[in-house]
Amino acid sequence: MITIRRFALALLAAGSVFASCPAEADSMQTLHGQAMYRERMALPPGAVLSVWIEDTGATHGAPLVMAEQREDIHRGVPIPYTLTYPALPTGGHYVLNAEITVEGRRLFATPDGGMPLDHPQLLLRHVAGTPVSAPYGAWRIQSVGDLRFDSTADAPGLTLQQDGTVYGTDGCNRLMGHFRLEGQTLRFLPFAMTRKACLPALMAQERQIGAFLPTVTSWSRDGEKHLVLHSGDSSGPMVLVPQDAQ
């Protein structure tokens, strides 16, 4: 059994900013911070830093990803990041998580449970050799950008199979097709789908999901809890949870 030693967090007070954007930015807020680690080692090419805010409130079942930033690393530690997110609803339990991955393997990550939002200087622990799980499986779509979906019997979802086929529903119509997976790169080929009419709200949901899927360029995982599909444009990610998550 491999034991991962937890280091005490040495948080930097200088340089952290937790500020609101102007009112015209629809109450968006910006969190500035840095991610670092103790080990004297350079990151290999292709390293990616992901930082996200989760609501771990028990009433939600699986944690909700409220905002995420993911970008390639082109410098040594400390690694600066900027995370923009909407005003967070009261009553939630919000934590900050981060990880550094290289070609599907997690090298560094925040301790279990995440960090408070007022501690944006993140000391990551070394977890080299821990593989990031593949995106295969049956998933329920929890959110696309700012649009969130309830956990109901007709909730949208996708099933990705190891033979490269994908099928599911956007909440209105069934869809099926194929995807190409190479490391962290993921692209969906054009989908075939049924064409029934639904209530206006479901039709709007169908349009948003249908517009997002062709823009997917990569994926990441937060343990077994979330599959995150990243778009090649400026829209927020699609977050999926296991079909049996509450």
Side-chain angles (χ1 to χ4, degrees):
M1 177 178 181
I2 299 175
T3 301
I4 299 175
R5 184 176 181 180
R6 295 189 180 184
F7 294 105
L9 293 181
L11 303 177
L12 301 182
S16 61
V17 180
F18 191 25
S20 297
C21 293
E24 60 268 20
D26 295 329
S27 300
M28 297 297 288
Q29 295 182 307
T30 302
L31 181 66
H32 299 283
Q34 295 175 324
M36 63 204 79
Y37 51 84
R38 292 183 183 275
E39 286 73 13
R40 294 179 177 272
M41 61 176 286
L43 293 172
V48 174
L49 173 66
S50 299
V51 183
W52 66 96
I53 296 174
E54 275 186 350
D55 181 2
T56 61
T59 57
H60 298 304
L64 290 173
V65 175
M66 310 302 292
E68 184 197 38
Q69 177 225 21
R70 182 175 184 268
E71 62 181 54
D72 295 337
I73 299 172
H74 299 292
R75 55 168 295 167
V77 293
I79 306 162
Y81 68 86
T82 300
L83 182 61
T84 301
Y85 60 96
L88 300 174
T90 58
H93 181 259
Y94 303 108
V95 297
L96 191 63
N97 279 297
E99 66 180 11
I100 295 174
T101 57
V102 178
E103 295 183 350
R105 290 188 175 274
R106 184 179 289 111
L107 297 185
F108 298 93
T110 42
D112 294 342
M115 296 299 300
L117 296 189
D118 58 358
H119 289 74
Q121 310 301 335
L122 303 174
L123 183 63
L124 309 184
R125 65 182 186 182
H126 191 205
V127 290
T130 303
V132 176
S133 301
Y136 307 122
W139 302 93
R140 174 171 57 82
I141 301 175
Q142 186 180 70
S143 63
V144 179
D146 296 331
L147 180 63
R148 300 183 182 279
F149 308 109
D150 294 330
S151 177
T152 61
D154 57 354
L158 294 173
T159 296
L160 284 76
Q161 299 185 305
Q162 295 189 35
D163 63 358
T165 58
V166 56
Y167 61 89
T169 175
D170 54 27
C172 175
N173 279 287
R174 305 293 300 175
L175 50 87
M176 61 216 72
H178 295 83
F179 63 93
R180 291 177 179 168
L181 178 67
E182 295 182 5
Q184 298 300 112
T185 299
L186 173 66
R187 294 188 182 276
F188 291 105
L189 302 181
F191 283 93
M193 58 188 301
T194 57
R195 294 292 180 183
K196 72 176 182 179
C198 298
L199 295 173
L202 290 179
M203 296 297 288
Q205 173 179 302
E206 175 186 79
R207 287 192 295 272
Q208 183 145 355
I209 293 174
F212 180 88
L213 290 175
T215 70
V216 171
T217 57
S218 62
W219 65 279
S220 62
R221 288 285 297 271
D222 174 19
E224 299 302 317
K225 298 180 294 185
H226 292 99
L227 170 64
V228 184
L229 303 184
H230 306 276
S231 172
D233 59 26
S234 59
S235 63
M238 173 181 283
V239 180
L240 304 93
V241 296
Q243 281 283 11
D244 56 359
Q246 298 299 314

